[in-house]
Amino acid sequence: RCRTGPLDIVFVIDSSRSVRPFEFETMRRFMIDIIGNLDVGPNATRVGVIQYSSQVQNIFSLKTFFTRADMERAINSIIPLAQGTMTGLAIQYVMNVAFTAQEGARPPHKKIPRIAIIVTDGRPQDRVTEVATQARNAGIEIYAVGIQRADMNSLRAMASPPLEEHVFLVESFELIQQFGKQFQDKLCGVDMCVEQEHGCQHSCVSTPGSFYCECNPGYRLNVDGKTCSPIDACADGRHGCQHHCVSVRGSYSCRCRPGYYLGQNKRSCIMIDYCSFGNHSCQHECVSIPSGHYCRCRSGYTLQPDGKSCRATDLCNGVDHGCEFKCVSTEGSYHCMCPEGQQLRADGKTCSKCGAGHVDLVMVIDGSKSVRPQNFELVKQFVNRIVDLLDVSPQGTRVGLVQYSSRVRTEFPLNKYHSADEIKKAVMDVEYMEKGTMTGLALKHMVEHSFSELEGARPLSHNIPRIGLVFTDGRSQDDISEWARRAKESGIVMFAVGVGKAVEEELRAIASEPVEQHFSYSADFTTMTHLVENFSLNICPGGKAKGREIHSLCECGALVQFQTNTVAILQSLTEKNILYARSLAQMTARLEDLEKQIANKK
């Protein structure tokens, strides 16, 4: 049996009237004997058969049968045409039809030989030379087998070179079976994959006189013609996968990112609806996200710490009320209020301001890692609420901002911005630093730089109060005592606000005297702006303030105004009504004492 590799073979059988019935039977036997010694199959040798006379008839194509038994049955059922001898027409059919991919021929790049075996007993009635040349140029190897009365010149015109290996003349039909054995040896030749070192990585395919390498499914042959590489079916970008394409041995599959599942088309990805599982326990609304779900409250409600239940909020927190200073909720409504000494304007939102109350204010905010981004945004909102109270201008109140963590950064100095809107925008643009908590380093920076005339602080001779407001949420990683002391000795009124893990001892060390009136603490950021601590200072007793002399009532008034407004911010945001009332009473009492002292001084 021939095992030199796959071939595509088409038998072209002359069934003209000159071929007698018993002679045609020997031609059947000839084809069956040769096929019987071939290794046939879809990946081995493929066989087709056509017969011709005045016309061409396809008995079976290269893709029709893949077993010898099926081929033998089809050959035995052939009915001769018994007409003329149009050999050129048959060769034309072989070239244009029989050896096409549609009829089962393997593509040229696979290098599988295409062999046509023409068996005829007479002289062609049409031209064969030109069409045979075209067929050979198309890569078809032609064997011409003449029997008895065949014309040798026509055989030589049809056959491929060398002619001595492709032209055969058999004296009679009786001898064709013996010739078949010899022709079989000629067709098969030597198995080159066995006879020499082929070097193929996967498999070697033998062809008459040569061989070629072939790769396993899912691999492609490299340019060296021997080694194989996996086919990356994802590389051409035509896979259509929405998320990820995974190449698998010549094919691919689509995969989705976590939190998604593959759609019915096996390409698109659909987010998992975790809320549909029914176990979210959200009081109002459940919102699915790729990593799971979260609860959301309807408008006018606030999500509680358990992350599931909701509580009604006052309208001041639920709407854009636009109050410049303070929003006061009432049943089903709200109204705006102004700090003491200011009048609500006709728009019902803004407040008239006293132009005499001017200060140089530097706020020093903690940007350490423990604050966390969402809480840092609350800190910035708290800063802007203070800015809203100030009459900001180059001649009025000046504001600077410093952020610190493991290092200190001036976000903007006192002389940078000249209006409240500019400052508020700059505050919201501040980027969170993270890292450590070097409060002592921040105080040093504030004393040496922030309140310098170079950065916009007005000379001490102008009697403009200097106020430092320090905000922190944890223990300092360096010593604060020295620079807290220096700040107060240099005439800076120091306020300290602590949240969360802030250390009371450190807050007291930073705050000016009386300490109880200059520091405040809140357990967490969500209640930070609801502090009801009395920041009001009795700053003008006997014409003195913080150990230094008050030179004018405007200076004293400026300090009173700032402190009063700061108290009002904290009071406006509290939810603890009892503490609010107590603090307000204390504030009122102290302010009355202050008014008496000023009146006595006059």
Side-chain angles (χ1 to χ4, degrees):
R1 184 163 297 165
C2 181
R3 295 186 182 275
T4 58
L7 306 169
D8 284 346
I9 299 177
V10 175
F11 288 95
V12 185
I13 304 302
D14 183 354
S15 66
S16 60
R17 67 174 64 92
S18 62
V19 180
R20 300 179 182 88
F22 76 90
E23 294 174 337
F24 194 83
E25 292 305 317
T26 61
M27 295 174 69
R28 287 188 214 269
R29 194 72 258 161
F30 168 73
M31 290 187 287
I32 291 172
D33 288 346
I34 292 179
I35 292 171
N37 288 294
L38 296 174
D39 184 17
V40 298
N43 297 318
T45 294
R46 299 182 182 183
V47 178
V49 175
I50 65 172
Q51 67 167 338
Y52 74 94
S53 59
S54 298
Q55 59 185 2
V56 179
Q57 182 185 37
N58 181 44
I59 306 303
F60 59 86
S61 65
L62 292 168
K63 67 178 181 180
T64 306
F65 301 123
F66 296 114
T67 66
R68 286 185 290 275
D70 289 338
M71 294 176 184
E72 184 173 344
R73 279 193 294 272
I75 290 171
N76 285 328
S77 65
I78 297 175
I79 298 175
L81 298 173
Q83 296 175 356
T85 310
M86 303 294 287
T87 310
L89 181 65
I91 296 173
Q92 187 78 42
Y93 182 89
V94 167
M95 178 174 62
N96 293 341
V97 180
F99 280 114
T100 61
Q102 291 81 358
E103 291 297 302
R106 266 75 63 97
H109 73 267
K110 287 187 173 291
K111 299 180 181 179
I112 294 176
R114 296 180 173 183
I115 298 174
I117 303 173
I118 302 173
V119 183
T120 179
D121 80 323
R123 182 189 299 275
Q125 294 176 337
D126 56 356
R127 296 178 181 274
V128 297
T129 303
E130 183 177 348
V131 69
T133 300
Q134 293 175 357
R136 293 193 300 268
N137 291 340
I140 301 172
E141 186 176 3
I142 300 176
Y143 287 86
V145 181
I147 304 174
Q148 200 168 320
R149 298 173 293 276
D151 178 59
M152 178 58 75
N153 289 332
S154 297
L155 297 178
R156 294 172 66 87
M158 292 185 288
S160 297
L163 297 179
E164 59 271 18
E165 294 183 7
H166 291 81
V167 177
F168 304 93
L169 185 60
V170 183
E171 293 181 359
S172 67
F173 281 96
E174 291 81 2
L175 299 175
I176 194 169
Q177 283 185 269
Q178 296 179 11
F179 164 73
K181 295 184 176 66
Q182 299 173 8
F183 184 78
Q184 179 69 38
D185 294 338
K186 178 67 69 175
L187 190 63
C188 289
V190 178
D191 188 344
M192 300 301 290
C193 289
V194 175
E195 293 296 321
Q196 66 183 64
E197 180 63 36
H198 53 75
C200 298
Q201 183 179 355
H202 285 181
S203 59
C204 174
V205 180
S206 183
T207 61
S210 185
F211 70 90
Y212 64 90
C213 297
E214 202 171 60
C215 296
N216 297 335
Y219 293 82
R220 64 162 57 91
L221 196 65
N222 293 328
V223 293
D224 61 8
K226 296 181 181 294
T227 58
C228 302
S229 299
I231 297 174
D232 185 358
C234 298
D236 60 8
R238 294 180 295 179
H239 48 78
C241 296
Q242 184 176 352
H243 286 180
H244 304 299
C245 176
V246 180
S247 184
V248 184
R249 295 190 62 183
S251 185
Y252 68 90
S253 62
C254 297
R255 291 183 185 174
C256 298
R257 294 192 293 268
Y260 294 80
Y261 65 91
L262 203 60
Q264 291 185 349
N265 62 5
K266 302 301 181 183
R267 287 178 170 81
S268 60
C269 294
I270 304 168
M271 190 173 74
I272 297 172
D273 185 3
Y274 291 99
C275 294
S276 66
F277 298 166
N279 58 353
H280 52 77
S281 303
C282 297
Q283 182 178 351
H284 285 183
E285 301 171 3
C286 176
V287 181
S288 286
I289 55 177
S291 59
H293 75 279
Y294 67 90
C295 296
R296 183 171 61 192
C297 296
R298 293 190 293 270
S299 178
Y301 290 82
T302 302
L303 192 66
Q304 297 306 294
D306 63 3
K308 298 180 180 181
S309 58
C310 300
R311 189 174 68 184
T313 55
D314 58 45
L315 288 176
C316 289
N317 290 329
V319 299
D320 183 13
H321 52 76
C323 295
E324 178 181 355
F325 172 66
K326 177 182 177 182
C327 175
V328 179
S329 290
T330 58
E331 186 175 353
S333 185
Y334 67 91
H335 64 272
C336 299
M337 288 184 64
C338 293
E340 187 175 350
Q342 297 187 26
Q343 297 291 325
L344 192 66
R345 290 176 175 159
D347 60 9
K349 297 180 183 293
T350 60
C351 303
S352 62
K353 299 178 182 179
C354 172
H358 301 153
V359 297
D360 285 346
L361 169 65
V362 174
M363 289 178 274
V364 182
I365 59 175
D366 185 349
S368 62
K369 186 175 183 180
S370 59
V371 173
R372 305 182 68 83
Q374 61 270 32
N375 293 330
F376 191 73
E377 293 302 311
L378 295 176
V379 173
K380 293 196 290 187
Q381 292 174 23
F382 177 75
V383 169
N384 278 346
R385 290 297 301 273
I386 293 177
V387 173
D388 280 335
L389 299 173
L390 305 175
D391 182 14
V392 178
S393 69
Q395 292 74 36
T397 292
R398 299 181 183 181
V399 178
L401 183 65
V402 172
Q403 183 186 175
Y404 73 97
S405 59
S406 297
R407 56 189 178 88
V408 183
R409 181 173 71 203
T410 297
E411 300 296 349
F412 52 85
L414 289 166
N415 56 5
K416 176 71 173 179
Y417 299 112
H418 306 306
S419 71
D421 289 340
E422 288 179 310
I423 292 173
K424 290 167 66 177
K425 181 180 183 303
V427 169
M428 297 312 295
D429 289 341
V430 169
E431 295 184 357
Y432 179 36
M433 293 174 70
E434 296 190 335
K435 298 190 177 179
T437 310
M438 302 294 284
T439 312
L441 184 65
L443 292 170
K444 180 177 184 293
H445 180 90
M446 180 193 72
V447 173
E448 293 184 341
H449 300 285
S450 301
F451 282 108
S452 67
E453 294 184 24
L454 182 65
E455 294 201 2
R458 283 162 286 195
L460 292 173
S461 60
H462 289 192
N463 296 320
I464 302 295
R466 295 181 175 184
I467 299 177
L469 176 59
V470 178
F471 178 92
T472 180
D473 86 318
R475 181 183 294 275
S476 177
Q477 295 173 336
D478 60 353
D479 179 66
I480 66 166
S481 58
E482 179 182 357
W483 286 101
R485 176 179 55 79
R486 289 195 186 186
K488 289 175 280 190
E489 288 176 351
S490 66
I492 302 171
V493 179
M494 295 299 299
F495 287 83
V497 178
V499 176
K501 296 182 180 180
V503 179
E504 182 175 347
E505 179 183 354
E506 293 185 353
L507 297 176
R508 289 177 173 275
I510 294 171
S512 293
E513 295 289 338
V515 172
E516 296 297 335
Q517 298 173 7
H518 288 78
F519 93 99
S520 180
Y521 173 80
S522 177
D524 59 56
F525 285 84
T526 59
T527 60
M528 176 187 68
T529 55
H530 297 270
L531 293 167
V532 186
E533 299 291 341
N534 193 347
F535 274 12
S536 178
L537 301 178
N538 187 3
I539 60 169
C540 301
K544 298 281 186 180
K546 306 162 294 302
R548 68 183 181 88
E549 188 174 354
I550 297 296
H551 296 280
S552 71
L553 288 179
C554 284
E555 179 183 3
C556 182
L559 288 172
V560 171
Q561 181 179 351
F562 175 78
Q563 294 164 133
T564 302
N565 292 345
T566 303
V567 172
I569 289 178
L570 298 173
Q571 291 173 340
S572 71
L573 299 173
T574 187
E575 293 180 352
K576 302 176 182 178
N577 294 326
I578 297 175
L579 278 176
Y580 173 77
R582 185 181 304 160
S583 299
L584 186 60
Q586 293 172 354
M587 166 68 77
T588 302
R590 291 192 179 96
L591 288 178
E592 288 175 354
D593 290 341
L594 179 61
E595 290 173 356
K596 291 178 181 179
Q597 293 173 25
I598 294 175
N600 292 335
K601 186 174 180 180
K602 289 181 179 180

